[in-house]
Amino acid sequence: MAEAGGVDRPASRSLKPLAALWPFIRPYRRTLVAAMAALLIAGAAMLTMPVALRYLIDNGFIAQDVTTVNRYFGWFLLAALVFSVFAALRYYLVTWLGERVVADIRDAVYRKVVRMDPAFFEVTRTGEVLSRLTTDTTLVQTISGVGLSMALRHSLSLVGGLALLVLTSPKLAGYTLIGIPLVVLPVITVGRRIRKLSRQSQDRVADTSALADETLNAMQTVQAFTLEELQSRRYREAVTSSFRTAVRRLRMNAFLTGMSVALVFSAITLILWAGSRAVLAGAMTGGQLAQFLMYALVVGGSSAALSGLWGEIQRAAGAMERLAELLRAKPEIVVPAEPTPMPARVQGRIAFEGVGFHYPSRPDTPALEDFSLQVASGETVALVGPSGAGKSTVFQLLLRFYDVQSGSIRIDGIDISQTDPRALRSQIGLVPQETVLFGTTALENIRYGRPEATDAEVRRAAEMAAADEFIEALPEGYDTYLGERGTRLSGGQRQRIAIARAILKDPPILLLDEATSSLDATSEQLVQQALEGLMHDRTTLVIAHRLATIQKVSRILVMQHGRVQASGNHHELIASNPLYAQLAALQFDLDQPGQQTESA
C-alpha cells in the first residue's frame, strides 16, 4: 500500500493483473457466452460482405447482369443488417457485463477496506483508497465494458480477416503476415512505457484526492488559521504534477497511435500495389482484388484499433494491479481458525497481564510496558495521566484494534486474542472523546448502537442521554439530516448522540473517554446522572482528563510512560502520588484542604 509519501510502485511488464478480473466475471459467464455468440455472428456477417462485393464485381458488373447485381446487393444488405443487429446485442451484453463487474469490484474493495484494522490506516491514506475506489475502477470499467467489446470485435476481425486474406491470395497474404510483426513489436515496446506512465498518473491523482480529503475534513481549521492560500497552492502543485504526468502519458499514447496507423497503412499500400500488378498480369480478377482490399482494410483497421486499445489495456492493467493490492491486503487482526466462543453476555471481568505494546508506526517507543490491571465485574476504574501515558492504548487493545506483543488480555478468563473480534466488540460500548456522526438522520445515528432497535427504544436512549429535547427541536425532529460528520450540531450535542448510542447498545463493558468533556454545566449534570445509571452493574473504564468527574470513583489508576504508577481513590492519591497531586493542582484550588473547587 502507498504510504504517506505516495511513493511510486514499479510497473508490471505483463497483463497478469487483468487475470484478477476473472473471479468477478465468473458469476456472469452466461452473459459472457451470449456476448461471444453475438460477436461471432456479427463477425461472420461482416466478413461475408467482401465476398458479396467480389461476386458483385466479377459476376454482375463485368457480365452486366442486372439480376445478378440485384441478388448480390441483396446479400450485401442482409449481411449488413445481421451485422448491425448482433453488433448492437454484443455491445449491450459486454457493456452490461463491464458495469456489473466494476460494481462488484467496488463492493469487494469497500468490504475489504472497512474490515481492515487501524494499523492499515496508519500507513495508508484515505484519499489513496478513495482514488482506487473511483479513478481506478473507472479505468477498469472502460476496458471491461466498451474496451473489452472493441478488443473482442477487432481481435475476431483481425483473425478472420487474415484467414480470408490467405484464401483470397496466399502470396499477398504472405506479404501481409511479414508486415504484422513490424507493427506489433513497436506497439508492445511503447505500450510498456505507457503502462509505467499510467501508474505514475494514477498515483498523482491519488495524491490530489488525499490532499483534498485532508483539507475538506479540516475546513474550519484551515479557515481559522487563514491557510486557504497555502492549501490552494499545495493543491495546485499536486494538480499540476498530475497534469504533467498525464500529458507525458497522452503524448506517448498519441505517438503510439500515429506510429501504428502509419505502419499499418504503409503496409497496406505496398500490398495493394503488388495486387494491382497481379490484376494487370491476369493472376487475379478485379473482384478478388476488391475482396482482398476490403479484408486488408479490415485487418489494417483492426490492427490500428488494437494498437490504440493497447495503451488503454495497459492503463486498466495498472489500475487492476492497484485494486488487487487492496483485495489482497490482510488485516493483522484475524479471527482464529477455531475461535473461543464468548457467552451471549459476559460478566465483565477484565485482566491485563504484563501487557507490552508498540504501535507499528512507532516501533521504538513503548505505548504500554509490563502493564497489569484487574477489574472486577461491575467495577468502575478511572485512568488518568499526562498525554501519551497509554490511556487510550488500553481502550485500543481491549477493543482488539491491535494485538498485544507480550502478555495477554482476558475477559471473564477468555484470552481475547483467541476470540472473534466482532463477538468481542459486541460486548463493549464506547463513548469516544471525539464523536463521529454519519451523514444520516438523528434517529439512524443513534440506532448505530443497535441496528435492530425500534424507534421507541432509540427515543428512550436519547431521553436518558439528555438528547431528546434538542433533537425534538430540530426542523424534522428525529428525522432531521445531521449533515456530514454531524456539522449541524454543536460539540455537546454530538457527544450526547454518542452517549445515547452506548445506552442503546446496553453493553456489559463500557469505555468512556471523558464522555462529558464537551457538555455545558446543565447538560453535564443530566448526562452524568444518565451515565451513573448506565454504569450500574456494568464494568466501566473511564479515561479522565477532568478529575472533577471521577472524584467518586473507588479506584483511579495513575499512568505514565505506559505503566501504572499508582492506584487508589482521589484523596489517597492526592496525599501519596506527586504526579496525581500535580494534575489535581492544575485543576483544583487546594489552598484549603478538603475543599476542591474546580478552577475557572
Short mmCIF file of all heavy atoms in Angstrom, two decimals, residues 278-311:
data_model
loop_
_atom_site.label_atom_id
_atom_site.label_comp_id
_atom_site.label_asym_id
_atom_site.label_seq_id
_atom_site.Cartn_x
_atom_site.Cartn_y
_atom_site.Cartn_z
N ALA A 278 -0.70 -7.77 -60.04
CA ALA A 278 -1.21 -9.13 -60.30
C ALA A 278 -2.45 -9.10 -61.17
O ALA A 278 -2.65 -9.95 -62.04
CB ALA A 278 -1.50 -9.83 -58.96
N VAL A 279 -3.34 -8.09 -60.96
CA VAL A 279 -4.53 -7.96 -61.80
C VAL A 279 -4.13 -7.64 -63.24
O VAL A 279 -4.67 -8.21 -64.21
CB VAL A 279 -5.46 -6.85 -61.24
CG1 VAL A 279 -6.62 -6.57 -62.22
CG2 VAL A 279 -6.02 -7.28 -59.90
N LEU A 280 -3.20 -6.72 -63.39
CA LEU A 280 -2.74 -6.36 -64.73
C LEU A 280 -2.10 -7.55 -65.43
O LEU A 280 -2.17 -7.68 -66.67
CB LEU A 280 -1.74 -5.20 -64.65
CG LEU A 280 -2.32 -3.85 -64.19
CD1 LEU A 280 -1.23 -2.81 -64.02
CD2 LEU A 280 -3.39 -3.36 -65.17
N ALA A 281 -1.48 -8.45 -64.66
CA ALA A 281 -0.83 -9.63 -65.25
C ALA A 281 -1.81 -10.78 -65.45
O ALA A 281 -1.43 -11.83 -65.97
CB ALA A 281 0.32 -10.09 -64.35
N GLY A 282 -3.07 -10.61 -64.99
CA GLY A 282 -4.07 -11.65 -65.16
C GLY A 282 -4.00 -12.74 -64.12
O GLY A 282 -4.66 -13.78 -64.26
N ALA A 283 -3.21 -12.53 -63.04
CA ALA A 283 -3.07 -13.56 -61.99
C ALA A 283 -4.26 -13.55 -61.04
O ALA A 283 -4.47 -14.53 -60.31
CB ALA A 283 -1.77 -13.35 -61.22
N MET A 284 -5.05 -12.47 -61.02
CA MET A 284 -6.24 -12.41 -60.16
C MET A 284 -7.24 -11.46 -60.79
O MET A 284 -6.87 -10.59 -61.62
CB MET A 284 -5.89 -11.99 -58.73
CG MET A 284 -5.33 -10.60 -58.58
SD MET A 284 -4.73 -10.23 -56.89
CE MET A 284 -6.15 -10.59 -55.89
N THR A 285 -8.52 -11.61 -60.44
CA THR A 285 -9.58 -10.78 -61.02
C THR A 285 -9.71 -9.49 -60.23
O THR A 285 -9.21 -9.35 -59.10
CB THR A 285 -10.91 -11.52 -61.00
OG1 THR A 285 -11.32 -11.70 -59.62
CG2 THR A 285 -10.80 -12.89 -61.67
N GLY A 286 -10.45 -8.57 -60.84
CA GLY A 286 -10.72 -7.31 -60.15
C GLY A 286 -11.55 -7.54 -58.90
O GLY A 286 -11.37 -6.85 -57.88
N GLY A 287 -12.49 -8.49 -58.97
CA GLY A 287 -13.31 -8.80 -57.80
C GLY A 287 -12.47 -9.35 -56.65
O GLY A 287 -12.69 -9.02 -55.47
N GLN A 288 -11.49 -10.20 -57.02
CA GLN A 288 -10.61 -10.74 -55.98
C GLN A 288 -9.77 -9.64 -55.32
O GLN A 288 -9.55 -9.64 -54.11
CB GLN A 288 -9.69 -11.81 -56.58
CG GLN A 288 -10.38 -13.13 -56.87
CD GLN A 288 -9.44 -14.12 -57.54
OE1 GLN A 288 -8.71 -13.78 -58.48
NE2 GLN A 288 -9.46 -15.36 -57.05
N LEU A 289 -9.31 -8.70 -56.16
CA LEU A 289 -8.53 -7.59 -55.60
C LEU A 289 -9.40 -6.73 -54.67
O LEU A 289 -8.94 -6.30 -53.60
CB LEU A 289 -7.94 -6.74 -56.71
CG LEU A 289 -7.10 -5.53 -56.25
CD1 LEU A 289 -5.93 -5.98 -55.40
CD2 LEU A 289 -6.62 -4.71 -57.45
N ALA A 290 -10.65 -6.51 -55.09
CA ALA A 290 -11.56 -5.72 -54.24
C ALA A 290 -11.82 -6.46 -52.93
O ALA A 290 -11.85 -5.85 -51.85
CB ALA A 290 -12.87 -5.47 -54.98
N GLN A 291 -12.02 -7.80 -53.03
CA GLN A 291 -12.23 -8.60 -51.82
C GLN A 291 -11.00 -8.52 -50.93
O GLN A 291 -11.10 -8.32 -49.71
CB GLN A 291 -12.52 -10.05 -52.20
CG GLN A 291 -12.68 -10.98 -50.99
CD GLN A 291 -13.01 -12.41 -51.42
OE1 GLN A 291 -13.71 -12.63 -52.39
NE2 GLN A 291 -12.49 -13.37 -50.66
N PHE A 292 -9.81 -8.67 -51.56
CA PHE A 292 -8.57 -8.59 -50.77
C PHE A 292 -8.42 -7.21 -50.14
O PHE A 292 -7.99 -7.09 -48.99
CB PHE A 292 -7.37 -8.90 -51.67
CG PHE A 292 -6.09 -9.08 -50.90
CD1 PHE A 292 -5.71 -10.32 -50.44
CD2 PHE A 292 -5.26 -7.99 -50.64
CE1 PHE A 292 -4.54 -10.50 -49.72
CE2 PHE A 292 -4.10 -8.15 -49.92
CZ PHE A 292 -3.73 -9.41 -49.46
N LEU A 293 -8.80 -6.17 -50.90
CA LEU A 293 -8.70 -4.80 -50.39
C LEU A 293 -9.57 -4.62 -49.15
O LEU A 293 -9.13 -4.06 -48.14
CB LEU A 293 -9.13 -3.81 -51.48
CG LEU A 293 -9.26 -2.35 -51.04
CD1 LEU A 293 -7.94 -1.82 -50.52
CD2 LEU A 293 -9.77 -1.49 -52.18
N MET A 294 -10.81 -5.14 -49.21
CA MET A 294 -11.70 -4.99 -48.06
C MET A 294 -11.17 -5.75 -46.85
O MET A 294 -11.19 -5.23 -45.72
CB MET A 294 -13.11 -5.47 -48.41
CG MET A 294 -13.88 -4.50 -49.31
SD MET A 294 -15.66 -4.84 -49.33
CE MET A 294 -16.13 -4.35 -47.69
N TYR A 295 -10.68 -6.97 -47.09
CA TYR A 295 -10.12 -7.72 -45.96
C TYR A 295 -8.86 -7.05 -45.42
O TYR A 295 -8.61 -7.04 -44.20
CB TYR A 295 -9.82 -9.16 -46.37
CG TYR A 295 -11.06 -10.03 -46.48
CD1 TYR A 295 -11.25 -10.87 -47.57
CD2 TYR A 295 -12.04 -10.00 -45.49
CE1 TYR A 295 -12.39 -11.67 -47.69
CE2 TYR A 295 -13.16 -10.79 -45.60
CZ TYR A 295 -13.35 -11.61 -46.69
OH TYR A 295 -14.47 -12.39 -46.79
N ALA A 296 -8.05 -6.48 -46.32
CA ALA A 296 -6.86 -5.76 -45.88
C ALA A 296 -7.24 -4.56 -45.04
O ALA A 296 -6.59 -4.24 -44.04
CB ALA A 296 -6.02 -5.34 -47.09
N LEU A 297 -8.32 -3.85 -45.45
CA LEU A 297 -8.79 -2.72 -44.66
C LEU A 297 -9.30 -3.17 -43.30
O LEU A 297 -9.08 -2.51 -42.28
CB LEU A 297 -9.90 -1.98 -45.42
CG LEU A 297 -9.45 -1.18 -46.65
CD1 LEU A 297 -10.64 -0.63 -47.40
CD2 LEU A 297 -8.51 -0.06 -46.24
N VAL A 298 -10.00 -4.33 -43.28
CA VAL A 298 -10.47 -4.87 -42.01
C VAL A 298 -9.30 -5.20 -41.10
O VAL A 298 -9.26 -4.85 -39.92
CB VAL A 298 -11.35 -6.12 -42.24
CG1 VAL A 298 -11.59 -6.86 -40.92
CG2 VAL A 298 -12.67 -5.74 -42.88
N VAL A 299 -8.29 -5.90 -41.69
CA VAL A 299 -7.10 -6.27 -40.90
C VAL A 299 -6.35 -5.03 -40.44
O VAL A 299 -5.94 -4.91 -39.28
CB VAL A 299 -6.19 -7.20 -41.72
CG1 VAL A 299 -4.86 -7.41 -41.01
CG2 VAL A 299 -6.87 -8.55 -41.95
N GLY A 300 -6.16 -4.07 -41.38
CA GLY A 300 -5.44 -2.85 -41.02
C GLY A 300 -6.18 -2.03 -39.98
O GLY A 300 -5.58 -1.55 -39.01
N GLY A 301 -7.49 -1.88 -40.17
CA GLY A 301 -8.28 -1.12 -39.20
C GLY A 301 -8.29 -1.78 -37.83
O GLY A 301 -8.17 -1.11 -36.80
N SER A 302 -8.40 -3.12 -37.84
CA SER A 302 -8.41 -3.83 -36.56
C SER A 302 -7.05 -3.73 -35.87
O SER A 302 -6.98 -3.56 -34.65
CB SER A 302 -8.76 -5.31 -36.79
OG SER A 302 -10.07 -5.43 -37.30
N SER A 303 -5.97 -3.83 -36.66
CA SER A 303 -4.63 -3.70 -36.08
C SER A 303 -4.43 -2.32 -35.47
O SER A 303 -3.90 -2.18 -34.36
CB SER A 303 -3.56 -3.97 -37.14
OG SER A 303 -3.68 -5.27 -37.66
N ALA A 304 -4.86 -1.29 -36.21
CA ALA A 304 -4.72 0.08 -35.70
C ALA A 304 -5.56 0.27 -34.44
O ALA A 304 -5.11 0.89 -33.46
CB ALA A 304 -5.13 1.07 -36.77
N ALA A 305 -6.79 -0.25 -34.46
CA ALA A 305 -7.66 -0.10 -33.29
C ALA A 305 -7.08 -0.82 -32.07
O ALA A 305 -7.09 -0.29 -30.95
CB ALA A 305 -9.05 -0.63 -33.61
N LEU A 306 -6.57 -2.04 -32.31
CA LEU A 306 -5.97 -2.79 -31.19
C LEU A 306 -4.72 -2.10 -30.67
O LEU A 306 -4.43 -2.13 -29.47
CB LEU A 306 -5.65 -4.22 -31.64
CG LEU A 306 -6.86 -5.14 -31.83
CD1 LEU A 306 -6.42 -6.46 -32.46
CD2 LEU A 306 -7.58 -5.38 -30.51
N SER A 307 -3.97 -1.44 -31.59
CA SER A 307 -2.80 -0.69 -31.15
C SER A 307 -3.21 0.46 -30.24
O SER A 307 -2.57 0.72 -29.22
CB SER A 307 -2.04 -0.16 -32.37
OG SER A 307 -1.61 -1.21 -33.19
N GLY A 308 -4.29 1.16 -30.64
CA GLY A 308 -4.78 2.24 -29.79
C GLY A 308 -5.31 1.74 -28.46
O GLY A 308 -5.13 2.37 -27.42
N LEU A 309 -5.96 0.57 -28.51
CA LEU A 309 -6.52 0.00 -27.29
C LEU A 309 -5.43 -0.52 -26.36
O LEU A 309 -5.65 -0.62 -25.15
CB LEU A 309 -7.46 -1.17 -27.63
CG LEU A 309 -8.88 -0.80 -28.06
CD1 LEU A 309 -9.60 -2.05 -28.55
CD2 LEU A 309 -9.64 -0.18 -26.88
N TRP A 310 -4.26 -0.82 -26.93
CA TRP A 310 -3.20 -1.40 -26.11
C TRP A 310 -2.82 -0.48 -24.96
O TRP A 310 -2.61 -0.91 -23.84
CB TRP A 310 -1.99 -1.71 -26.98
CG TRP A 310 -0.86 -2.36 -26.25
CD1 TRP A 310 0.35 -1.81 -25.94
CD2 TRP A 310 -0.84 -3.69 -25.71
NE1 TRP A 310 1.12 -2.71 -25.25
CE2 TRP A 310 0.42 -3.88 -25.10
CE3 TRP A 310 -1.76 -4.74 -25.69
CZ2 TRP A 310 0.77 -5.06 -24.48
CZ3 TRP A 310 -1.40 -5.92 -25.08
CH2 TRP A 310 -0.16 -6.07 -24.48
N GLY A 311 -2.76 0.82 -25.25
CA GLY A 311 -2.45 1.77 -24.19
C GLY A 311 -3.51 1.76 -23.10
O GLY A 311 -3.20 1.81 -21.90
#
